[in-house]
Amino acid sequence: MTVRPGGRAATILDVALAAAVSQATVSRVVNGKSTVDPAIARRVLAVVDELGYRPSASARNLARGSTQTVGVVVPDLGNPMFQEVLRGVTQAASAAGYRVLVADSQESLADEPELATEARRRCDAVVLVAPRMSDHELSDLLPSLAPVVLVNRSAAGTPEVVVDYAAGASAAVDHLAGLGHRRIAYLAGPPSSESNRRRLAGLERARSLHPGVEITSIPCGANVEDGARAAQALGDATAVIAFNDLVAFGLLAALRDAGVAVPGTVSVVGFDDIEFARYATPALTTMAVPRQLLGARAWDALLAEIEGGTPAAPVLFTPALVVRASTGEVAR
Amino acid sequence: MTVRPGGRAATILDVALAAAVSQATVSRVVNGKSTVDPAIARRVLAVVDELGYRPSASARNLARGSTQTVGVVVPDLGNPMFQEVLRGVTQAASAAGYRVLVADSQESLADEPELATEARRRCDAVVLVAPRMSDHELSDLLPSLAPVVLVNRSAAGTPEVVVDYAAGASAAVDHLAGLGHRRIAYLAGPPSSESNRRRLAGLERARSLHPGVEITSIPCGANVEDGARAAQALGDATAVIAFNDLVAFGLLAALRDAGVAVPGTVSVVGFDDIEFARYATPALTTMAVPRQLLGARAWDALLAEIEGGTPAAPVLFTPALVVRASTGEVAR
DNA sequence: TTGTACGCGTTATCAC
DNA sequence: GTGATAACGCGTACAA
């Protein structure tokens, strides 16, 4: 590979000149479109190699009107949940020849709309993960983002891939109630979080299903530290449902430090089933969410919009109870 | 925001026409370059708003000759180490107005060169994390990637941000030897991994420093499962240094299942200090690596190359011993 | 300060 | 099968 005299990278024109053909032919050879005389094709390829020619992505994008790139907007790249969604999208998209642009709002709610818009400008479509954004802001934003698919949010007319956290929360209560627990604490996520609201809705449903069970909601958060802090606020609950596995981890650690037996004195169930859940002590019982699949399905929906022009049907995942060692029969 | 009759997005020409000014003026207003008559600027902005005009990133990139985007190539987005590097780069880059394109080779060594090349075509520069790529392939690839910075790899002439794993491994032995251990097992990472080689070099050094200590290397891997499997191969070692925290987690779990006391019977030290290390049981002693900083420094080096044209000086991080509960005095 | 006009590197539509 | 040439949408010298 040689660099051109000027020091600039070779362009299609340079190749055309050197191979004594037209730019059109070079383009055809490079893209394998149409059919070109084998002899000429060989000559062109030789020159391409010699000059180290690489098509400019920018020029291509402009000419084609597409970037073959999708954006993924997440609130926090440090969260295993969003990491896996990103990973799922990335893998699925790469199989289709698309690349992924990440945009991490770093929990800065105010920046999200602009961040998403900016991402959309550079991409053909966007996967939006914005659990805290207000419904109002969301519906304002969506029109300018299309094609777009929502993860764990709903908005009329926009394809979505969501987890049925309500069903998950309800199932968690079923599990605990079945073990004899009558006082359950829910360590709530951020109040503004949509997925927290969905869990709360599920708990509401569970209350009517289990009249004898008292379910109290304790403000907590979404991180390990939040979970650790919440250990003191458990009251007389014999079981707790954590907003997610991160919170459960923090709780478990604090409980251990405080000498509280799990599940002897308190049972704990998490949400998500992150990779480390099974390595917690005791191994964490949790409502498993297929996080990578979430990303993969989001990609599918995106592709349907991009190429098919079809707004994909909503996808709903139901969390699956994974019983490990952190839950057990209530002590009496 | 209105959509143009044709259904197409508004272009700078549409705005110019509607505002009765030239495209140049619209461009100036939109970019805040040069100074434009306030009245005209207002008029233009009004039209921009009305038409919902958004500059085309593709056209901009082509005209400017830069994309304001950097690529990050990683071998496995599922690995906390690489996730944090990505995060570090993303956050640092976004502060400078750059976006990040992710490329996950999914451990497919063969695809890495093409993946990196492809990423580079779409970006102004690339951060390459490729621990397994052969030196040969790496040096072949680098020229076509510049500006590029290497993470945990070295190659003449290319800026690098690396962790001194040799010093880390050596320090781990110091710690263990200080606790009286004389038979230490090293759970080796992938043989082709550069960072594994560096750890091995550190162990070699440690051998001469601690003549009385026997250090054996056991083929293992880089994942939790690998660590779990290795539990049976420990022999009579009283302490083990795991390739990374993931491996240590697997080992800890297997040891617990086997009823082996940690650190009573066996001490365990990991590498990286991933977030969950402190929540392992027992809390994991580990050689901490500032993973996010790694990404941030990689970005700094990239920026120096992109804008300054200066090849940044190598950055070297030394792992710090974090003593928790998984290591203790040798039993006698 | 504002407008004209050209260049950025490809792709795609035509004739040939 | 191949070659001109017009888009693609924007930035920017240069001229006015």
Side-chain angles (χ1 to χ4, degrees), chain A residues 11 63 67 93 107-108 110 119 121 141 171 173 183-184 200 204 216 229-230 243 253 262 277 296:
Chain A
T11 75
T67 63
E107 296 286 7
S108 170
R121 269 201 2 217
L141 182 60
V173 173
R183 291 188 306 279
I184 300 176
L200 286 171
E204 201 47 57
T216 61
R229 256 193 302 275
F243 174 67
V262 175

Side-chain angles (χ1 to χ4, degrees), chain A residues 310-327:
Chain A
T310 328
V315 176
L316 184 70
F317 287 102
T318 303
L321 173 67
V322 176
V323 180
R324 298 210 178 89
S326 67
T327 50

Side-chain angles (χ1 to χ4, degrees), chain A residues 54 117-118 224 279 281, chain B residues 54 99 117-118 224 279 281:
Chain A
R54 335 267 253 161
T117 305
E118 225 269 314
V224 181
Y279 299 108
T281 303
Chain B
R54 334 268 254 162
R99 295 292 163 248
T117 305
E118 225 270 315
V224 181
Y279 299 109
T281 304

Side-chain angles (χ1 to χ4, degrees), chain A residues 45-311:
Chain A
L45 287 177
V47 174
V48 162
D49 206 52
E50 188 197 350
L51 261 41
Y53 165 73
R54 335 267 253 161
S56 149
S58 298
R60 245 185 191 171
N61 292 344
L62 181 57
R64 294 212 265 237
S66 87
T67 63
Q68 300 284 100
T69 303
V70 298
V72 175
V73 181
V74 298
D76 175 18
L77 255 188
N79 187 314
M81 173 73 187
F82 307 136
Q83 284 166 355
E84 287 298 297
V85 171
L86 170 63
R87 190 175 168 211
V89 176
T90 302
Q91 297 192 351
S94 95
Y98 275 73
R99 294 291 162 250
V100 168
L101 192 78
V102 246
D104 178 1
S105 74
Q106 299 177 55
E107 296 286 7
S108 170
L109 207 43
D111 297 339
E112 272 180 10
E114 194 192 333
L115 196 65
T117 305
E118 225 269 314
R120 177 60 181 83
R121 269 201 2 217
R122 302 170 180 253
C123 304
D124 297 340
V126 164
V127 173
L128 182 61
V129 189
R132 318 262 180 94
M133 189 180 293
S134 73
D135 285 334
H136 178 72
E137 212 157 14
L138 185 64
S139 53
D140 270 6
L141 182 60
L142 286 177
S144 67
L145 250 40
V148 54
V149 16
L150 252 21
V151 171
N152 278 339
R153 285 299 293 256
S154 299
T158 300
E160 58 183 53
V161 176
V162 303
V163 173
D164 191 346
Y165 288 110
S170 184
V173 173
D174 291 346
H175 170 60
L176 260 15
L179 290 170
H181 294 276
R182 293 295 173 264
R183 291 188 306 279
I184 300 176
Y186 168 59
L187 263 32
S192 55
S193 158
E194 173 63 20
S195 73
N196 180 56
R197 276 197 287 268
R198 295 185 181 197
R199 289 171 177 79
L200 286 171
L203 294 179
E204 201 47 57
R205 212 155 62 202
R207 282 197 179 89
S208 43
L209 258 45
H210 303 277
V213 178
E214 176 189 340
I215 304 175
T216 61
S217 180
I218 301 175
C220 180
N223 303 313
V224 181
E225 299 75 34
D226 299 321
R229 256 193 302 275
Q232 297 139 355
L234 257 33
D236 60 357
T238 63
V240 10
I241 299 176
F243 174 67
N244 62 21
D245 289 348
L246 257 29
V247 168
F249 256 86
L251 176 64
L252 248 29
L255 253 24
R256 175 175 61 185
D257 291 349
V260 178
V262 175
T265 306
V266 174
S267 283
V268 176
V269 18
F271 250 103
D272 287 352
D273 193 21
I274 62 177
E275 189 184 358
F276 292 107
R278 64 192 322 157
Y279 299 108
T281 303
L284 188 64
T285 292
T286 189
M287 301 303 305
V289 171
R291 297 163 299 140
Q292 233 182 300
L293 251 187
L294 224 56
R297 289 291 163 273
W299 162 253
D300 292 343
L302 224 42
L303 191 62
E305 277 191 279
I306 298 175
E307 304 198 331
T310 328

Side-chain angles (χ1 to χ4, degrees), chain B residues 19-292:
Chain B
V21 295
S22 73
Q23 305 185 31
T25 295
V26 176
S27 174
R28 285 188 277 254
V29 171
V30 170
N31 295 304
K33 301 279 192 183
S34 183
T35 170
V36 181
D37 185 291
I40 296 193
R42 261 195 300 281
R43 199 168 72 216
V44 170
L45 288 176
V47 175
V48 163
D49 206 51
E50 189 198 347
L51 261 42
Y53 166 72
R54 334 268 254 162
S56 149
S58 298
R60 253 191 181 163
N61 292 344
L62 181 56
R64 292 209 272 236
S66 86
T67 64
Q68 301 283 101
T69 302
V70 298
V72 175
V73 181
V74 297
D76 175 18
L77 256 187
N79 188 313
M81 173 73 187
F82 308 135
Q83 284 166 355
E84 287 299 298
V85 171
L86 170 64
R87 190 174 168 211
V89 175
T90 302
Q91 297 192 352
S94 96
Y98 276 72
R99 295 292 163 248
V100 169
L101 192 78
V102 246
D104 178 1
S105 74
Q106 299 176 55
E107 297 285 7
S108 169
L109 207 44
D111 297 340
E112 271 179 11
E114 194 192 333
L115 196 66
T117 305
E118 225 270 315
R120 176 60 181 82
R121 270 200 2 215
R122 303 169 179 254
C123 304
D124 298 340
V126 164
V127 173
L128 181 60
V129 190
R132 317 262 180 96
M133 189 180 293
S134 73
D135 285 335
H136 177 71
E137 211 156 16
L138 184 64
S139 53
D140 270 6
L141 182 61
L142 286 177
S144 67
L145 251 39
V148 55
V149 18
L150 252 21
V151 171
N152 278 339
R153 285 299 292 257
S154 298
T158 301
E160 57 183 54
V161 176
V162 302
V163 173
D164 191 346
Y165 288 109
S170 184
V173 173
D174 290 348
H175 169 60
L176 261 12
L179 290 171
H181 294 276
R182 292 296 174 264
R183 290 187 306 280
I184 301 176
Y186 168 58
L187 262 32
S192 56
S193 158
E194 173 64 20
S195 73
N196 179 57
R197 277 196 286 268
R198 295 186 181 197
R199 289 171 177 80
L200 286 172
L203 294 179
E204 200 48 57
R205 212 156 62 204
R207 283 197 178 90
S208 44
L209 258 47
H210 304 277
V213 177
E214 176 190 342
I215 305 175
T216 60
S217 181
I218 300 176
C220 181
N223 303 311
V224 181
E225 299 76 32
D226 299 320
R229 255 194 303 275
Q232 298 139 353
L234 257 35
D236 59 355
T238 63
V240 11
I241 299 175
F243 174 67
N244 62 22
D245 288 349
L246 258 26
V247 168
F249 256 85
L251 176 65
L252 248 29
L255 254 25
R256 175 175 61 185
D257 291 349
V260 178
V262 175
T265 306
V266 174
S267 282
V268 176
V269 18
F271 250 104
D272 287 352
D273 194 20
I274 62 177
E275 190 185 358
F276 292 107
R278 64 192 322 154
Y279 299 109
T281 304
L284 187 65
T285 292
T286 188
M287 301 303 307
V289 170
R291 299 163 298 141
Q292 232 183 300

